[in-house]
Amino acid sequence: MTGFFDLLKKRRSIRDYEEKDVPLDLVKEIIRESCLAPSSGNGQPWRFIIINNRDWIEKLSDESKKNILSFIEQNPDAPLKQYETVLRDKHFNVFYNAPCLVFIGGSKKTGSIQVDCTLAACYFMFSAQARGLGTCWIGLGTNIQNPEIRKQIGMPEDYRIVAPIIIGYPRTIPDTPERMDPHILKTVR
Ligand SMILES: Cc1cc2nc3c(=O)[nH]c(=O)nc-3n(C[C@H](O)[C@H](O)[C@H](O)COP(=O)(O)O)c2cc1C
């Protein structure tokens, strides 16, 4: 198994996957490890939805694209505008044709849902990497609004999607995007 510091340095967002499916048991094991993350008051409010079906993943990509494009039309100054061209490309799948997608989220009523689920997502990404799998957090995949689609994938009405994470066996591993030096505002001694 890769050492911890190697995991930190070598984790990359993977956007190109092999055709190979990810065994469901493995995804569940990774989810189990994600639940080792800290959470506010140990509330563990994260709820997971596994989409292990390529047709469904494409359908969810279309739904997300449609909703973001309609948002951009109503808010032309929004930063999301930069993605308009790619989102209009009908061949572009926001989930990069990954074999599996896991939504990490939970009840909107939980005040700490964003933070808790983000921590679980972080554990998820490292646990997957330690097993030779690649992941990518897909912010563009958050816009699943259609009530019928949400119902069919088992998403409760008050469910906030925090982290849609794709997972699969990497085909290409990109170079490390440049990191800035830490911006320490002040050290008080
Ligand atoms: C909140 C969040 C949203 C992201 N959304 C997307 C996305 O929609 N599409 C994508 O290709 N990558 C997305 N990423 C991945 C980032 O682009 C990536 O983490 C960043 O470029 C640094 O690269 P690295 O993860 O390989 O270090 C997202 C990452 C985060 C944390």
Side-chain angles (χ1 to χ4, degrees):
M1 194 176 277
T2 328
F4 180 70
F5 294 106
D6 259 359
L7 280 185
L8 284 185
K9 282 190 199 131
K10 293 192 178 147
R11 183 210 50 81
R12 292 278 67 77
S13 290
I14 302 298
R15 302 181 178 86
D16 184 22
Y17 293 94
E18 286 178 6
E19 282 299 311
K20 198 170 141 190
D21 289 335
V22 187
L24 197 52
D25 282 351
L26 191 51
V27 178
K28 288 185 177 167
E29 213 173 299
I30 292 165
I31 289 177
R32 184 163 285 282
E33 288 187 356
S34 311
C35 298
L36 297 173
S39 60
S40 175
N42 199 24
Q44 305 169 53
W46 37 64
R47 301 290 178 265
F48 302 86
I49 295 174
I50 306 170
I51 313 287
N52 207 19
N53 174 299
R54 287 168 200 269
D55 291 340
W56 258 110
I57 292 176
E58 196 178 338
K59 191 169 170 175
L60 292 165
S61 167
D62 290 344
E63 161 70 5
S64 205
K65 281 162 71 177
K66 183 182 82 163
N67 293 328
I68 300 172
L69 283 168
S70 118
F71 175 83
I72 293 171
E73 264 167 38
Q74 286 154 39
N75 304 274
D77 295 330
L80 277 171
K81 175 93 179 160
Q82 64 182 303
Y83 301 114
E84 186 174 5
T85 311
V86 71
L87 289 168
R88 288 201 186 283
D89 176 353
K90 64 177 191 305
H91 299 297
F92 176 66
N93 181 324
V94 295
F95 301 116
Y96 301 103
N97 304 303
C100 184
L101 160 70
V102 175
F103 287 110
I104 307 178
S107 170
K108 286 177 186 160
K109 293 187 211 102
T110 306
S112 59
I113 199 69
Q114 301 265 17
V115 178
D116 294 339
C117 290
T118 297
L119 284 160
C122 202
Y123 272 52
F124 184 98
M125 292 189 278
F126 283 119
S127 165
Q129 192 198 342
R131 295 179 158 78
L133 287 150
T135 58
C136 186
W137 180 320
I138 305 292
L140 291 178
T142 323
N143 277 270
I144 311 299
Q145 291 171 18
N146 181 315
E148 191 48 39
I149 291 182
R150 287 179 68 106
K151 196 170 152 198
Q152 285 178 19
I153 62 170
M155 209 171 254
E157 264 176 38
D158 74 340
Y159 187 92
R160 167 164 296 150
I161 301 171
V162 176
I165 309 266
I166 50 173
I167 176 165
Y169 293 93
R171 180 154 40 205
T172 23
I173 299 175
D175 292 337
T176 309
E178 202 185 323
R179 290 303 202 259
M180 297 172 217
D181 282 339
H183 196 144
I184 298 170
L185 290 178
K186 190 176 169 81
T187 303
V188 179
R189 295 168 190 272

